[in-house]
Amino acid sequence: MKTALITGITGQDGSYLAELLLAKGYKVVGTVRRSSTTPYERISHLVDKVSLLSADLLDQTSLVDAIEETKPDEIYNLAAQSFVATSWTQPVLTGEFTALGVTRLLEAAKRAAPKAKFYQASSSEQFGQVQETPQKETTPFYPRSPYGVAKVYGHWITVNYRESFNMFAVCGILFNHESPRRGLEFVTRKVTDAVARIKLGHATELRLGHLQAHRDWGFAGDYVDAMWRMLQQDKPDDYVIGTGHKWTVQQLCEEAFSYADLDWKQFVKVDQKFVRPAEVELLVADSSKAKRVLGWEPTVHFRELVRMMVDADLARHRKTIGDGNG
């Protein structure tokens, strides 16, 4: 039985990855940050099937201890300050988690489990002001936010440890991937949750920023399969993961609202408060390398994804009403 250690197991990707690995017969261990509350909503159905250890990307000793105790075959680093907008208001904290946190975990792995295969969650935000379209593994990085800058550091330090210490360390440059488990602050979930609340009479408008930004949106459940495939290869390498299709935020709104028989134009308001200091206009993936080497392809189409998320938010709000908590 292989053992996998997942940082960020309580997040969207961590929960889907834990499900995938458990189905493949892994022993799954997740790290969680010490907190007065236990935010395990996304893995509530898994807590009796996985082991949870207290560790923090800001604390080197806790990472070494977690790896020594776990002795993992595979390490998936999914923990980060992962919200782009927050990186503008908390840039230093974002750097500590999303950049230096990767170094701490790599160093801990080098000392405590040098043979473990290591996955680093890189991001399409690293491309930022894109230098070519679509973006592939050789496209130069030009990040446009503190989050993007921190992710570039995390990417290159992973490559550096691979080349310097002969570690099996890979970077998955994942484009936007969503699901009903996506955080409410992310634009896809912000839209589908608003659609559900408006449909049920709990809200009257949705305020958004830049409606013409293009993104390549896929399903998180597909993307964790790509992560796993990267660590099953004979040689470590980096891969771009995305659908190859681009949609605007406006098209996202059109799809979500129309699915609920609503006209998005009646409810969506542009609010300058949500416009970023430096905008990323266009991200779309060229995943031909992943298709060729990993045999990976997305299975969930954009419209199917949006409808899945609207259905889940409608069901959640209806349940809240039924429970008398709404």
Side-chain angles (χ1 to χ4, degrees):
M1 180 188 286
K2 282 186 178 179
T3 298
L5 179 66
I6 304 173
T7 71
I9 194 171
T10 60
Q12 169 189 255
D13 293 7
S15 67
Y16 281 110
L17 180 61
E19 287 176 352
L20 177 82
L21 296 177
L22 287 168
K24 292 182 181 295
Y26 280 66
K27 177 185 178 185
V28 176
V29 182
T31 64
V32 292
R33 299 179 65 204
R34 173 72 184 89
S35 172
S36 57
T37 58
T38 52
Y40 297 166
E41 179 186 354
R42 294 185 184 95
I43 59 167
S44 58
H45 60 301
L46 300 175
V47 287
D48 59 340
K49 300 173 185 173
V50 302
S51 301
L52 298 176
L53 290 177
S54 180
D56 196 311
L57 288 182
L58 301 187
D59 185 77
Q60 181 84 44
T61 303
S62 70
L63 298 175
V64 173
D65 289 347
I67 293 173
E68 283 183 340
E69 181 176 338
T70 307
K71 298 179 174 58
D73 300 286
E74 298 172 2
I75 299 170
Y76 295 86
N77 183 34
L78 309 185
Q81 191 299 98
S82 61
F83 189 42
V84 174
T86 298
S87 78
W88 290 106
T89 56
Q90 299 184 34
V92 176
L93 184 69
T94 299
E96 286 286 353
F97 274 115
T98 308
L100 290 177
V102 185
T103 314
R104 294 187 189 101
L105 189 60
L106 281 163
E107 190 63 21
K110 179 166 73 81
R111 291 170 183 238
K115 299 298 183 187
K117 294 184 173 183
F118 185 97
Y119 173 86
Q120 166 59 16
S122 288
S123 167
S124 60
E125 288 287 330
Q126 293 166 205
F127 296 121
Q129 188 168 308
V130 298
Q131 304 300 292
E132 64 178 347
T133 298
Q135 294 87 53
K136 54 183 183 288
E137 291 79 7
T138 55
T139 302
F141 297 140
Y142 195 141
R144 296 271 282 170
S145 66
Y147 170 78
V149 172
K151 277 293 186 182
V152 169
Y153 177 100
H155 179 96
W156 282 118
I157 199 68
T158 302
V159 173
N160 185 259
Y161 269 64
R162 176 170 76 216
E163 295 177 350
S164 302
F165 304 114
N166 198 31
M167 293 174 68
F168 193 112
V170 308
C171 298
I173 308 172
L174 271 54
F175 281 63
N176 295 65
H177 46 289
E178 320 297 318
S179 76
R181 300 178 195 173
R182 191 55 142 156
L184 285 165
E185 68 271 27
F186 290 86
V187 69
T188 47
R189 187 73 194 291
K190 187 176 179 180
V191 169
T192 62
D193 181 70
V195 166
R197 288 186 293 112
I198 290 168
K199 184 69 175 177
L200 298 174
H202 289 289
T204 57
E205 67 175 21
L206 167 62
R207 292 185 172 270
L208 295 173
H210 187 35
L211 296 183
Q212 296 311 312
H214 289 78
R215 290 295 183 270
D216 182 335
W217 279 300
F219 174 51
D222 285 340
Y223 288 42
V224 299
D225 176 59
M227 298 176 189
W228 174 79
R229 287 172 186 250
M230 290 178 210
L231 295 194
Q232 310 317 306
Q233 303 306 304
D234 294 330
K235 294 180 180 178
D237 205 350
D238 308 320
Y239 299 89
V240 161
I241 302 296
T243 71
H245 300 284
K246 65 181 187 291
W247 307 85
T248 63
V249 175
Q250 181 175 313
Q251 287 174 309
L252 167 68
C253 292
E254 291 169 358
E255 187 64 36
F257 278 88
S258 65
Y259 181 57
D261 296 318
L262 299 169
D263 180 0
W264 73 276
K265 293 177 185 175
Q266 293 182 17
F267 304 102
V268 176
K269 306 285 189 290
V270 174
D271 188 334
Q272 291 302 310
K273 182 174 75 171
F274 297 111
V275 176
R276 295 169 183 169
E279 187 58 63
V280 175
E281 297 289 344
L282 171 62
L283 294 174
V284 60
D286 176 357
S287 296
S288 53
K289 179 179 173 182
K291 181 177 180 179
R292 184 179 71 253
V293 179
L294 305 178
W296 179 86
E297 288 191 67
T299 65
V300 178
H301 187 271
F302 173 72
R303 288 191 172 90
E304 186 183 348
L305 172 65
V306 173
R307 293 174 182 192
M308 174 201 308
M309 293 175 68
V310 171
D311 283 339
D313 280 323
L314 280 167
R316 182 172 58 88
H317 283 292
R318 284 181 177 130
K319 181 176 185 295
T320 304
I321 296 167
D323 290 343
N325 296 323

